[in-house]
Amino acid sequence: DLELVALIVAGFGHDAAHPGRNNAFLIKQRHPVALRYNDIAVLESFHSATTVRILEAQGFWAGLRPSAQRILRKLVVENILATDMQRHFNFLQEMKTRFADARENSRDAFDFSQANDRKILYSLAIKCADLGHSAKPWKLHYQWSLRCTEEFFAQGDAEKANGWPVTQIMDRDAVNLPKSQQGFLKIVCLPLFTLAGKVKCDKCPSVAQH
């Protein structure tokens, strides 16, 4: 199934060649990548393009018909672009509205026979995977949290070196790490996984199990 293959490939490639700086930093720096993508979904566009170039170089879809190649490429790019955190809270609101409407009209929120509904669910799935360390057992979650935090601090150091205001959660000299992480889990992660747990799908394991 091309859609599932695209989702898996996007999961592998959604952070391909990540430079360790966020979109805001690259835009402010006027980095060539930011200029290339007109300051819009900079890293997500870069990751998707990098993934596609790697697939092309390796002949990943050489055995597919041209029409299937175009579809697979389009789906991979769409899924990676869905990880843009700039749209995170809009996405959550759209999901809440959909579930509220479904509840009001006594129907399921998603129809798996509809391509657009599946597209939304694939976006939900890759967003959960993108933030997946937050749902892992404590030992793994703690390790990945430290790695992410060190990446943030490195950007904060670079902001200081450039004489810029330091992003609040990236200032190693000022951040309250436990409080910052608690806010991230409660405000960003938990609402996403809560919505994912509401999806009814006979073929999908319950998010609540994880």
Side-chain angles (χ1 to χ4, degrees), residues 100-108:
D101 181 65
R103 186 168 58 252
E104 183 177 334
N105 292 283
S106 301
R107 59 176 177 78
D108 291 337

Side-chain angles (χ1 to χ4, degrees), residues 120-152:
I120 295 171
L121 290 173
Y122 296 147
S123 295
L124 175 63
I126 198 166
K127 285 177 66 61
C128 287
D130 189 26
L131 301 175
H133 79 278
S134 62
K136 292 187 180 298
W138 168 252
K139 184 176 180 180
L140 286 173
H141 166 68
Y142 180 67
Q143 291 174 359
W144 281 105
S145 294
L146 291 181
R147 290 170 180 169
C148 291
T149 299
E150 188 51 46
E151 181 178 299
F152 288 170

Side-chain angles (χ1 to χ4, degrees), residues 45-107:
S45 298
F46 172 66
H47 299 321
S48 59
T50 299
T51 300
V52 168
R53 283 198 299 271
I54 292 171
L55 296 177
E56 289 278 3
Q58 297 300 317
F60 179 80
W61 35 47
L64 297 175
R65 298 187 306 276
S67 59
Q69 292 182 24
R70 289 192 295 272
I71 291 171
L72 183 55
R73 175 180 174 179
K74 176 176 180 289
L75 293 171
V76 169
V77 170
E78 286 179 348
N79 286 328
I80 294 178
L81 291 177
T83 63
D84 182 4
M85 290 301 293
Q86 189 70 32
R87 291 198 63 254
H88 181 74
F89 293 105
N90 286 340
F91 180 82
L92 293 183
Q93 187 55 53
E94 291 167 7
M95 291 286 292
K96 290 176 183 176
T97 300
R98 179 177 278 261
F99 279 116
D101 181 65
R103 186 168 58 252
E104 183 177 334
N105 292 283
S106 301
R107 59 176 177 78

